[in-house]
Amino acid sequence: MLPPSGVAAAQTLRTLFARSDEAFRRLQSSAPSHVSIAMQIADTSRQDVKDGLDFLLDNLKLLPLGRLYDGPDDIYPDILEARLRLLPQNS
C-alpha cells in the first residue's frame, strides 16, 4: 500500500511504463534521452505534430527511475514528497 502522497508518483510511473512500448515502436528506443531528442527534432511545421507536442509538453512529467543518495540515505522519496507538497491541491 502506498501512502496518499505517493499515489500520483506511482500513477505517473505506470503511465511512462505503459507508453514505453509505443515509444519503442516509433523510435526503436524508449530511453528518455531518445524520446526527448525525437521531440526536439519533430516536424512542427505540421499542425498535428505541433498540437501533439504542445499537449505532451503541457502534461509531461518525467520522473527518473532509481535512487539518489546523500551518504547512506536514499533521499529520492523525500524529494518526490516535497515536490508533491508544492503542487496545487485538488479541491
Short mmCIF file of all heavy atoms in Angstrom, two decimals, residues 79-89:
data_model
loop_
_atom_site.label_atom_id
_atom_site.label_comp_id
_atom_site.label_asym_id
_atom_site.label_seq_id
_atom_site.Cartn_x
_atom_site.Cartn_y
_atom_site.Cartn_z
N ILE A 79 12.45 13.80 -1.91
CA ILE A 79 12.35 14.81 -2.96
C ILE A 79 10.99 14.72 -3.64
O ILE A 79 10.34 15.74 -3.89
CB ILE A 79 13.50 14.64 -3.98
CG1 ILE A 79 14.83 15.00 -3.31
CG2 ILE A 79 13.27 15.48 -5.22
CD1 ILE A 79 16.04 14.68 -4.13
N LEU A 80 10.53 13.50 -3.95
CA LEU A 80 9.21 13.34 -4.55
C LEU A 80 8.11 13.88 -3.64
O LEU A 80 7.20 14.58 -4.08
CB LEU A 80 8.92 11.87 -4.85
CG LEU A 80 9.59 11.26 -6.06
CD1 LEU A 80 9.17 9.80 -6.20
CD2 LEU A 80 9.25 12.02 -7.32
N GLU A 81 8.21 13.56 -2.38
CA GLU A 81 7.20 14.02 -1.43
C GLU A 81 7.20 15.55 -1.33
O GLU A 81 6.14 16.18 -1.31
CB GLU A 81 7.45 13.40 -0.06
CG GLU A 81 6.30 13.59 0.90
CD GLU A 81 6.49 12.78 2.17
OE1 GLU A 81 6.79 11.58 2.06
OE2 GLU A 81 6.34 13.36 3.25
N ALA A 82 8.37 16.16 -1.29
CA ALA A 82 8.46 17.62 -1.24
C ALA A 82 7.86 18.24 -2.50
O ALA A 82 7.16 19.25 -2.44
CB ALA A 82 9.91 18.06 -1.07
N ARG A 83 8.11 17.61 -3.65
CA ARG A 83 7.55 18.12 -4.91
C ARG A 83 6.03 18.02 -4.91
O ARG A 83 5.33 18.92 -5.36
CB ARG A 83 8.14 17.33 -6.09
CG ARG A 83 7.54 17.65 -7.43
CD ARG A 83 7.87 19.08 -7.85
NE ARG A 83 7.32 19.35 -9.16
CZ ARG A 83 6.32 20.19 -9.39
NH1 ARG A 83 5.77 20.84 -8.39
NH2 ARG A 83 5.87 20.41 -10.59
N LEU A 84 5.51 16.93 -4.40
CA LEU A 84 4.05 16.77 -4.32
C LEU A 84 3.41 17.83 -3.43
O LEU A 84 2.31 18.30 -3.71
CB LEU A 84 3.69 15.36 -3.82
CG LEU A 84 3.91 14.25 -4.82
CD1 LEU A 84 3.70 12.90 -4.15
CD2 LEU A 84 2.99 14.40 -6.03
N ARG A 85 4.11 18.20 -2.37
CA ARG A 85 3.57 19.25 -1.47
C ARG A 85 3.50 20.61 -2.17
O ARG A 85 2.69 21.45 -1.79
CB ARG A 85 4.42 19.35 -0.21
CG ARG A 85 4.15 18.23 0.78
CD ARG A 85 4.72 18.54 2.15
NE ARG A 85 6.17 18.74 2.11
CZ ARG A 85 7.06 17.78 2.32
NH1 ARG A 85 6.67 16.56 2.55
NH2 ARG A 85 8.34 18.06 2.30
N LEU A 86 4.34 20.83 -3.20
CA LEU A 86 4.33 22.09 -3.91
C LEU A 86 3.21 22.19 -4.95
O LEU A 86 2.88 23.28 -5.41
CB LEU A 86 5.67 22.31 -4.62
CG LEU A 86 6.87 22.49 -3.71
CD1 LEU A 86 8.15 22.55 -4.54
CD2 LEU A 86 6.73 23.74 -2.86
N LEU A 87 2.66 21.04 -5.34
CA LEU A 87 1.60 21.04 -6.35
C LEU A 87 0.31 21.59 -5.75
O LEU A 87 0.01 21.36 -4.58
CB LEU A 87 1.35 19.62 -6.85
CG LEU A 87 2.49 18.98 -7.62
CD1 LEU A 87 2.15 17.52 -7.94
CD2 LEU A 87 2.79 19.73 -8.89
N PRO A 88 -0.49 22.30 -6.55
CA PRO A 88 -1.78 22.79 -6.05
C PRO A 88 -2.66 21.60 -5.69
O PRO A 88 -2.68 20.59 -6.40
CB PRO A 88 -2.39 23.57 -7.22
CG PRO A 88 -1.39 23.54 -8.30
CD PRO A 88 -0.24 22.68 -7.92
N GLN A 89 -3.35 21.71 -4.60
CA GLN A 89 -4.24 20.65 -4.15
C GLN A 89 -5.55 20.70 -4.91
O GLN A 89 -6.09 21.76 -5.15
CB GLN A 89 -4.51 20.77 -2.65
CG GLN A 89 -3.26 20.64 -1.80
CD GLN A 89 -2.60 19.30 -1.95
OE1 GLN A 89 -3.26 18.25 -1.92
NE2 GLN A 89 -1.28 19.29 -2.13
#
